[in-house]
Amino acid sequence: MGLDAIDQRIVDELRADGRITINDLADRVGLSGSPTLRRLRRLEADGIVRGYTAHIDPAAINRGFSVWVTARLAVGDPDAQRGF
């Protein structure tokens, strides 16, 4: 599904501030609250907006850094999986 210009602006605004109120979001994209909310719900239902997150300062919670690792085994048998 392609996004029209208003949907793209909604996505852009949410990227900048996921906690923006519907009224502020509506003002920024040039719509009233109800159509903005309908569009946002459609974007969520279509899987374009998949959730909302918070960016946490690692130092504030005594973490130096975070690491995300993804691994794929070339061999899928149980012995290879256990060895990994």
Side-chain angles (χ1 to χ4, degrees):
M1 172 191 145
L3 300 180
D4 68 13
I6 294 174
D7 287 343
Q8 186 60 57
R9 288 201 315 258
I10 290 171
V11 169
D12 293 342
E13 292 296 334
L14 289 173
R15 280 185 177 149
D17 182 2
R19 295 185 60 174
I20 190 171
T21 67
I22 288 297
N23 290 334
D24 287 342
L25 181 59
D27 287 342
R28 292 184 189 181
V29 302
L31 295 175
S32 63
S34 292
T36 302
L37 182 58
R38 280 194 300 273
R39 282 175 176 261
L40 177 56
R41 295 295 179 239
R42 182 178 40 79
L43 291 168
E44 291 171 341
D46 289 347
I48 294 167
V49 175
R50 296 186 304 179
Y52 302 87
T53 62
H55 294 273
I56 307 299
D57 178 2
I61 59 170
N62 298 318
R63 302 282 193 272
F65 59 90
S66 297
V67 177
W68 293 84
V69 177
T70 302
R72 177 178 285 177
L73 298 177
V75 178
D77 65 76
D79 289 334
Q81 292 173 1
R82 278 190 296 277
F84 178 75

